[in-house]
Amino acid sequence: MTTVTLPGVYSPQDDTGLLVRLLRDEHLPPHAEVLDVGTGTGAVALVAARLGARVTAIDISWRAALNAKVNALLARLPVRGRRGDLLAPVSGRTFDLILSNPPYVPAPAGACPRRGVARAWDAGHDGRLVLDRICQDAPALLRPGGVLLVVQSVLSGPEESLRRLRAASLRADVVERSGVAFGPVLRSRSGWLHDRGLIEDDAEKEELVIIRAVRPG
Ligand SMILES: C[S@@+](CC[C@H](N)C(=O)[O-])C[C@H]1O[C@@H](n2cnc3c(N)ncnc32)[C@H](O)[C@@H]1O
């Protein structure tokens, strides 16, 4: 499949691959409606479309939303790229599957960046600024039996995601774990992460997890 990555758009990485792997294990109903939140190049959205779903792909970045549209056109797949803040563009709609590889990296800055490439990964001191909003808002957009698959790092507290999703009456579990080497972002802030007690002195890897949450049918 020919795909392009526009300058400034998150290039698919280990977390993308992990989400795609778990997506392929899902049993989608016929004519499934799927949402990909924080779509970047649309890499995850395109896989869902190849599995037969009609996909809406949202990103706060104009470039990313355009990138997802371009890749959908190149692949001739039914992916509708929308620019917007998390779930706002689809308020009032419901989905069989919601996918997200959101920003989840703990960052020295207390707020999410308003622009620039770091908007793809930085998510406040605890890495939860975007995750908490997804846990809060996604349950209402799931159809009965619908599934939320979300990636995060253990550095940003998967137990807090589980707690929030269960409080919203979803059945939520960590269904996959994968150790990945620190990339340049984590390496550059390893001192800060260590000072916050998030990593050991000599840490070189983080653990990514996939959380799967189901709205009871
Ligand atoms: C880690 S990247 C993942 C990109 C792609 N899904 C992938 O797996 O390769 C996170 C994406 O979320 C987008 N994003 C950040 N904050 C957002 C928000 N509030 N609403 C929608 N998208 C957001 C970023 O622009 C970025 O494209």
Side-chain angles (χ1 to χ4, degrees):
M1 172 161 51
T2 307
T3 56
V4 296
T5 303
L6 297 180
V9 177
Y10 186 83
S11 192
Q13 296 183 30
D14 291 326
D15 45 9
T16 318
L18 194 60
L19 183 57
V20 163
R21 187 144 58 80
L22 274 285
L23 160 60
R24 290 187 191 280
D25 289 343
E26 290 295 326
H27 297 286
L28 293 173
H31 315 296
E33 290 276 356
V34 172
L35 177 66
D36 179 26
V37 189
T39 195
T41 61
V44 179
L46 293 182
V47 174
R50 281 205 184 280
L51 294 173
R54 280 179 303 183
V55 186
T56 304
I58 297 172
D59 205 289
I60 199 163
S61 147
W62 284 106
R63 264 187 228 213
L66 173 65
N67 201 151
K69 283 184 199 176
V70 168
N71 281 329
L73 280 172
L74 287 172
R76 297 171 194 265
L77 285 169
V79 175
R80 183 152 183 240
R82 304 276 307 268
R83 190 263 166 187
D85 186 11
L86 288 190
L87 304 167
V90 288
S91 118
R93 289 184 58 194
T94 57
F95 296 89
D96 300 292
L97 177 63
I98 300 178
L99 303 157
S100 191
N101 176 12
Y104 54 71
V105 178
C112 289
R114 293 175 65 91
R115 58 185 63 81
V117 287
R119 187 163 56 172
W121 50 80
D122 280 357
H125 294 318
D126 59 5
R128 296 205 52 87
L129 287 177
V130 179
L131 282 164
D132 284 346
R133 291 178 59 206
I134 291 173
C135 294
Q136 159 93 23
D137 296 340
L141 272 61
L142 286 176
R143 295 176 178 170
V147 172
L148 167 70
L149 285 180
V150 60
V151 193
Q152 68 168 101
S153 166
V154 294
L155 301 179
S156 47
E159 59 292 338
E160 179 62 11
S161 301
L162 294 176
R163 190 189 69 72
R164 286 173 180 262
L165 293 167
R166 288 171 183 160
S169 302
L170 302 192
R171 291 195 309 267
D173 295 286
V174 170
V175 292
E176 188 67 314
R177 295 177 179 274
S178 177
V180 300
F182 280 0
V185 174
L186 286 190
R187 277 202 301 275
S188 72
R189 65 183 60 152
S190 59
W192 181 82
L193 291 166
H194 178 257
D195 290 347
R196 284 184 66 85
L198 289 171
I199 61 170
E200 303 292 332
D201 236 354
D202 51 355
E204 291 176 353
K205 283 181 121 180
E206 69 173 324
E207 190 174 51
L208 301 181
V209 303
I210 299 275
I211 289 177
R212 182 175 190 271
V214 185
R215 179 171 170 194

